[in-house]
Amino acid sequence: MMKSDMTATSLKPVVTVTLGDPAGIGPELVAKLLSRADLLHLANVVLVGDRWLWKEGQAIAGLKVQTVPVSDFAEVRDRDMLSIPAFLEMDTIQASQVTRSQPGAAAGASVLSVLDRCMDAALAGHIDAITFAPLNKHSMKLGGLKHEDELHHFARHLCVKGYFCEFNTLNDLWTARISSHVPLRDVPKYLDKQRIIDATSLIYQSLQRNGITSPRVAVAGLNPHNGDGGTCGREEIDIIAPAVTALADMGIPVQGPFPADTIFLKARDGELDAIVTMYHDQGQIAIKLMGFSQGVTVQGGLPIPITTPAHGTAFDIAGKGQANVEATANAFKIACRMGLARLQGQVAA
Ligand SMILES: NC(=O)C1=CN([C@@H]2O[C@H](COP(=O)(O)OP(=O)(O)OC[C@H]3O[C@@H](n4cnc5c(N)ncnc54)[C@H](O)[C@@H]3O)[C@@H](O)[C@H]2O)C=CC1
Ligand SMILES: NCC(=O)COP(=O)(O)O
């Protein structure tokens, strides 16, 4: 290897890309992603998954993407020819076990085993970040997921002790959540002062690590019109406002609570860097309306950067080659940026 190549190798984060749920749009998205020379230069990429599924993804996308086989994650960091992704083959599922556009236990189990192997590689120091193509939580639950979502699975696998939550990002706007993949009727159970403090501190500090010295963060209310002075719910008065005050006392100045149906107008007008929402759809409806094909989910609070597009498995269009790759490309770019920061000695989300 030439010296210049060695230098380039050592400076690039190793970013793992996975194919996602075998019945969804993941494999075709990954074929589109890895055919983009404008993205591949950002990282030393290692694709992980089943060979037949990777072939199928390329066929659906109408692309042929060259890869270099590797037999172990340990081989990836020092390899050369970084313009060509490495391919670490796994044998997790047969084609006959997958029905396209349908949830299934085998598909969910396959996703879990691929992601577990990637996390183990991260723990061993072989990779710096992970981007996963969309998975299906229904399939994963059928296939053995013991938690409400993959983020809880990641956190357990990676022995996370502190607060973690999804950050949904659209361009420069980030959101964090107090509750996530839980039934709406359970949301109030998650609303306590400490969770609001933890989620808000987490996103505030993450923004600072991403170069925003004084992040402009606001917290959403829960009830219509912010509770209308306590006549339409008291969570704003009893829980959310005291958390905002406590944050200020901790040196984390944030605004709010603001009525949830208008808070995103401030963000759209560039007045905020982040919004802390009380439940999943409070943030996601706004973010997806503003930029469905751009949004990215960053798994916040983990020791390694893990990103994914904000959209899901899109069973209604899987196999048709129509899936838009932009959100996956954005997820990959964020993983590369965070992976490089981690490689250079900084911490993850
Ligand atoms: N990154 C991930 O792993 C994510 C996974 N999910 C999972 O995906 C599954 C399905 O979720 P849904 O709520 O149905 O949302 P979805 O995002 O899969 O689909 C919603 C609508 O958006 C369209 N769509 C989604 N991605 C698209 C793309 N790249 N290009 C063009 N159109 C696209 C679909 O065709 C569908 O009409 C669930 O199991 C959910 O948990 C949901 C969000 C993120
Ligand atoms: N699999 C990632 C995921 O579901 C995140 O999506 P969202 O909850 O942020 O919509």
Side-chain angles (χ1 to χ4, degrees):
M1 192 192 307
M2 285 169 61
K3 196 164 188 306
S4 58
D5 287 347
M6 289 176 69
T7 307
T9 301
S10 64
L11 285 178
K12 291 204 176 177
V14 177
V15 176
T16 296
V17 175
T18 74
L19 297 168
D21 189 283
I25 57 173
E28 55 193 280
L29 283 175
V30 172
K32 290 179 184 178
L33 176 78
L34 298 188
S35 69
R36 295 259 305 256
D38 62 314
L39 297 176
L40 291 181
H41 75 94
L42 296 173
N44 175 353
V45 179
V46 54
L47 168 67
V48 183
D50 290 69
R51 179 171 294 279
W52 71 266
L53 188 57
W54 171 226
K55 270 193 180 163
E56 189 174 274
Q58 293 171 76
I60 294 168
L63 293 164
K64 201 149 178 45
V65 183
Q66 199 184 353
T67 55
V68 179
V70 289
S71 53
D72 196 283
F73 276 109
E75 295 170 27
V76 178
R77 196 174 293 281
D78 295 325
R79 75 190 183 97
D80 52 10
M81 290 201 301
L82 296 192
S83 56
I84 304 174
F87 179 41
L88 179 65
E89 186 175 347
M90 286 182 72
D91 185 13
T92 67
I93 188 166
Q94 304 301 310
S96 59
Q97 294 174 284
V98 180
T99 308
R100 184 172 295 147
S101 304
Q102 296 294 326
S110 156
V111 166
L112 281 168
S113 62
V114 169
L115 290 173
D116 286 357
R117 180 132 182 227
C118 295
M119 284 191 286
D120 290 340
L123 290 171
H126 298 316
I127 66 173
D128 302 306
I130 299 168
T131 294
F132 63 88
L135 46 75
N136 190 281
K137 280 183 263 298
H138 183 181
S139 298
M140 289 172 79
K141 285 171 187 169
L142 294 172
L145 177 67
K146 300 278 183 295
H147 306 286
E148 63 208 46
D149 53 30
E150 66 280 6
L151 176 54
H152 283 73
H153 179 77
F154 294 148
R156 294 293 167 267
H157 199 96
L158 297 169
C159 300
V160 171
K161 298 279 181 274
Y163 190 86
F164 55 88
C165 71
E166 293 87 352
F167 294 156
N168 285 98
T169 73
L170 176 63
N171 303 324
D172 292 336
L173 174 65
W174 292 41
T175 64
R177 307 173 188 167
I178 305 306
S179 61
S180 188
H181 298 113
V182 297
L184 209 45
R185 67 169 175 273
D186 291 340
V187 164
K189 293 182 200 158
Y190 288 81
L191 243 73
D192 67 47
K193 185 175 157 188
Q194 193 57 47
R195 284 182 75 80
I196 295 168
I197 291 171
D198 290 344
T200 309
S201 319
L202 183 63
I203 199 159
Y204 190 92
Q205 286 155 4
S206 294
L207 284 165
Q208 286 187 320
R209 281 199 294 270
N210 278 273
I212 302 176
T213 320
S214 302
R216 298 164 303 165
V217 179
V219 181
L222 174 70
N223 297 297
H225 310 300
N226 230 11
D228 246 323
T231 61
C232 185
R234 288 198 53 86
E235 282 81 359
E236 289 77 9
I237 293 171
D238 294 340
I239 303 172
I240 307 173
V244 168
T245 304
L247 283 156
D249 293 344
M250 293 162 58
I252 300 180
V254 299
Q255 309 166 45
F258 291 131
D261 62 349
T262 48
I263 191 171
F264 277 87
L265 298 176
K266 293 180 193 300
R268 189 192 60 183
D269 293 344
E271 293 172 27
L272 295 171
D273 301 307
I275 294 176
V276 179
T277 62
M278 298 298 116
Y279 59 92
H280 180 278
D281 285 359
Q282 202 178 57
Q284 287 297 70
I285 290 172
I287 289 269
K288 290 187 180 182
L289 267 176
M290 289 194 290
F292 181 66
S293 58
Q294 302 297 321
V296 173
T297 302
V298 177
Q299 313 285 330
L302 303 186
I304 56 168
I306 304 183
T307 68
T308 188
H311 65 72
T313 43
F315 279 167
D316 53 337
I317 59 167
K320 297 182 179 166
Q322 297 169 357
N324 183 320
V325 75
E326 284 313 307
T328 306
N330 287 342
F332 176 76
K333 284 183 209 164
I334 293 175
C336 292
R337 197 181 72 216
M338 295 175 79
L340 181 62
R342 185 168 190 265
L343 188 60
Q344 290 170 336
Q346 299 170 24
V347 282

